[in-house]
Amino acid sequence: MSSPGLTALGESTRLVPANLPAVFEVLPPPGASIRGSDCVATVLSPSKTKVSARVTHESANGSLRIEFVPSEVGTHIIEASIGGTTLVGGPLIAKVYDSSLIQVTDVNGGVVGQPCQFRVDASAAGEGQLEISINEGEVPNHVQVVGGGRCLVSFTPEQAKPHLIDIKFNGETVIGCPFVCSVADTSRVLLNLTNLELIPVNRPASFHITVSGGGAAELAVSVRGPQGELPVRVTGDIHAGFTAEFTPNHVGAHTINVEYNGYPVQGTPFVAKSYDATKVAVGSVSKGTVGRPVQFTVDAGDAGEGNLEITISAKGHNIPTQVHPQGNAKFAVSFVPAEPCEHIINVSFNKMLVPGCPITVIINGGTTGPQVSLGGPGPLHLPNSLVINHAGGRLEDIEVNVEGPSGHSVPAQVLQTADGVFKAEFVPRVVGEHRVSVTVEGQPTVGSPYSAKVYDVTAIKVKNVNNGTVGKPVVFLVETSQAGPGNLEVTVNGGRVPTSAQAQGQHTYAISFTPREAQNHTVELRFNGQDVPGSPFTCKVRHIPTITPNSPPRAF
């Protein structure tokens, strides 16, 4: 009958730390009396080299104690025998690990409410169990195994305070613990950037930064213009707030970044658009004649983005003006003077007068004889009128003939409204330019025939006025192809929100604005001073949606 052999005392396979004594015990066959020198033990490392082992006899329980110090991570095989009698169940297994070989990387700061991540690499540490806790388990974390003993750990801080990361491997604290993740609350930082929508070049631009709650604050402000980074000067303190100032020197977009303790503040990056009113060119114009269109050009192609305003006045009163986009921010401007006097042209870009303005235009028409005054563009299907001043004249001496755009005759009626003052009226039935001929005592008046422009505000189509998001451009289309000549005016929130218009063809314009507040925005459109059908429009603006992931169960 064969001997029952040696048996292991305790687990035959166990985890063993590197560079520390590893001990296994075996029991001899029942009734056998042996000494430690009777037992032969060999330990084979993962690299197939033998590890020195010492065997002693334990008199207390009669076992044999096998002790060795492993230095190599991995599975070690322990063989033991007495007089040819080997271990029952095969060799003993020591799975050696080394927690000092674990690497923890990418432990950076974080922001309240935003996921933080770091990496743990245990690929060289051997087999074992990894335990991770954040702030002693108060903050849940999620471990994503990426393979090869490596994992990605994430957690979402809810408080602005240091978060301590503790990691254990097989119960041993990993070197470097606790790792510290500084967490900032960027919602403490408030920016006032509303005055930076449009900024002039070569003039200092500034904005205010407030940090609520006091305490330390590390602010970093940068501005990148069309040709690279710009110097930024930041002054102030945590109590009074900070002011950041920079000077744009080129037309175009300037991206403003503000970081608090290394993290972007809500509302940044913010794009400010710089402009140069001195780059707006107004074509030459010096004189004109009553009743005859006076034309000139305005070229804002190199001035950047902004609002172009053109006004023409006579004797302190503004007169109707026609502006026709030619593409690439170039415009043809015309007006029909009704009086022989100086007319003043003012062109401003983002409220700044452009070079050469105001421009004085001398309008001739003679000081004797009948004088004819026409109003601006007139609405379709409503009476359009002109006034004839003829001192001492009689009603029967005045004749007015009106032709529509296609040459058809339009009935006109002449009435005397005062001594020497006559009023002619006609009701247009089609949109477009009407030709008005005026004769007095059979002779045409100075400037006759005159041009009377007719428009139809109901023919304007507004498309795609959709809801918007803070910081994102809202764009909609306005089509005027059937509306006739006139001026289109667009204001958002009473003009407090800047707008821009880009020609998309001869009669279609893309209107855009960028909301900065989460509130309803009122969009008003007028054509020749009349409300466009449907105006005012309402655009609901909301904040950029944020997704807060559900906190996963704590790893391990």
Side-chain angles (χ1 to χ4, degrees):
M1 184 175 180
S2 62
S3 168
L6 301 174
T7 57
L9 187 62
E11 296 290 336
S12 61
T13 299
R14 65 183 70 166
L15 293 171
V16 173
N19 302 312
L20 291 175
V23 176
F24 284 80
E25 290 184 289
V26 297
L27 293 174
S33 177
I34 59 176
R35 295 169 298 175
S37 58
D38 296 333
C39 180
V40 177
T42 59
V43 179
L44 195 63
S45 72
S47 60
K48 307 303 181 185
T49 60
K50 289 186 177 182
V51 180
S52 176
R54 184 166 66 96
V55 182
T56 58
H57 181 258
E58 293 291 328
S59 57
N61 58 5
S63 66
L64 296 171
R65 178 186 175 96
I66 304 171
E67 183 176 337
F68 64 99
V69 179
S71 59
E72 186 179 347
V73 170
T75 300
H76 288 58
I77 300 173
I78 302 105
E79 298 276 7
S81 64
I82 298 176
T85 302
T86 59
L87 286 164
V88 176
L92 304 172
I93 303 296
K95 294 185 176 181
V96 179
Y97 65 90
D98 188 348
S99 62
S100 69
L101 298 179
I102 289 180
Q103 295 182 342
V104 181
T105 57
D106 299 338
V107 181
N108 302 312
V111 175
V112 169
Q114 299 295 321
C116 296
Q117 293 183 331
F118 60 93
R119 297 180 182 275
V120 179
D121 184 351
S123 59
E127 189 173 325
Q129 183 178 11
L130 197 65
E131 299 175 74
I132 301 171
S133 67
I134 316 292
N135 283 0
E136 297 182 342
E138 292 180 0
V139 180
N141 66 80
H142 173 73
V143 177
Q144 177 186 351
V145 177
V146 296
R150 300 175 179 86
C151 60
L152 182 66
V153 185
S154 62
F155 66 95
T156 302
E158 300 297 337
Q159 292 179 289
K161 66 178 184 180
H163 281 53
L164 305 182
I165 301 169
D166 286 295
I167 303 173
K168 291 185 178 182
F169 189 61
N170 294 327
E172 294 182 15
T173 299
V174 170
I175 294 174
C177 285
F179 297 92
V180 180
C181 172
S182 298
V183 176
D185 185 359
T186 57
S187 66
R188 293 178 56 204
V189 182
L190 302 177
L191 302 179
N192 184 5
L193 299 170
T194 54
N195 62 319
L196 298 182
E197 294 275 1
L198 295 170
I199 52 178
V201 299
N202 301 321
R203 293 190 182 186
S206 63
F207 59 96
H208 193 68
I209 307 169
T210 303
V211 182
S212 63
E218 183 181 335
L219 287 172
V221 183
S222 65
V223 178
R224 174 171 286 276
Q227 297 192 12
E229 293 284 338
L230 295 179
V232 182
R233 181 170 174 260
V234 180
T235 57
D237 56 47
I238 192 70
H239 305 291
F242 302 88
T243 297
E245 182 181 280
F246 66 97
T247 301
N249 45 34
H250 291 92
V251 169
H254 286 65
T255 302
I256 301 170
N257 284 289
V258 179
E259 291 187 350
Y260 170 66
N261 290 344
Y263 292 91
V265 172
Q266 185 174 1
T268 65
F270 176 90
V271 178
K273 297 170 182 176
S274 63
Y275 64 90
D276 189 351
T278 68
K279 296 292 181 67
V280 177
V282 180
S284 62
V285 55
S286 58
K287 60 183 180 179
T289 303
V290 169
R292 297 287 186 181
V294 176
Q295 297 180 334
F296 60 95
T297 60
V298 177
D299 185 350
D302 295 327
E305 189 167 323
N307 297 321
L308 188 68
E309 297 178 66
I310 303 170
T311 61
I312 301 172
S313 61
K315 295 182 178 180
H317 298 284
N318 288 345
I319 65 173
T321 307
Q322 303 298 309
V323 180
H324 304 282
Q326 306 295 299
N328 298 322
K330 297 179 181 179
F331 305 88
V333 185
S334 65
F335 66 97
V336 179
E339 298 180 80
C341 63
E342 288 187 347
H343 284 55
I344 308 300
I345 299 174
N346 277 299
V347 180
S348 62
F349 190 65
N350 294 325
K351 306 298 184 183
M352 298 177 68
L353 274 179
V354 308
C357 286
I359 299 170
T360 300
V361 181
I362 304 301
I363 302 300
N364 298 314
T367 57
T368 60
Q371 301 293 319
V372 179
S373 300
L374 280 79
L380 187 69
H381 301 309
L382 291 176
N384 283 234
S385 63
L386 58 149
V387 176
I388 302 131
N389 289 279
H390 179 38
R394 299 178 303 168
L395 181 62
E396 57 266 28
D397 294 335
I398 296 174
E399 183 178 350
V400 176
N401 293 298
V402 180
E403 291 182 3
S406 62
H408 64 280
S409 178
V410 179
Q413 183 180 17
V414 183
L415 302 172
Q416 185 167 3
T417 58
D419 187 22
V421 181
F422 304 88
K423 180 180 181 181
E425 284 189 342
F426 66 96
V427 178
R429 301 302 179 190
V430 294
V431 166
E433 191 169 305
H434 287 58
R435 179 186 173 99
V436 181
S437 299
V438 180
T439 59
V440 177
E441 297 179 0
Q443 296 298 315
T445 57
V446 176
S448 180
Y450 307 97
S451 174
K453 296 177 179 179
V454 177
Y455 67 91
D456 182 7
V457 69
T458 66
I460 290 181
K461 307 298 181 186
V462 182
K463 302 176 182 179
N464 305 325
V465 182
N466 299 319
N467 295 335
T469 302
V470 171
K472 302 291 185 182
V474 175
V475 182
F476 59 93
L477 298 178
V478 180
E479 184 182 306
T480 64
S481 60
Q482 304 301 314
N487 291 330
L488 181 68
E489 302 172 70
V490 183
T491 59
V492 179
N493 286 0
R496 295 187 299 277
V497 178
T499 61
S500 65
Q502 297 291 329
Q504 301 292 298
Q506 193 172 1
H507 299 288
T508 302
Y509 306 91
I511 312 296
S512 67
F513 66 93
T514 302
R516 296 298 173 190
E517 296 180 84
Q519 63 179 29
N520 287 349
H521 282 53
T522 301
V523 180
E524 296 176 277
L525 286 91
R526 294 184 180 89
F527 190 66
N528 293 327
Q530 282 189 278
D531 286 334
V532 168
S535 179
F537 301 89
T538 299
C539 173
K540 295 181 180 179
V541 176
R542 58 191 177 91
H543 282 297
I544 297 176
T546 57
I547 300 175
T548 303
N550 294 326
S551 297
R554 177 169 163 260
F556 305 107

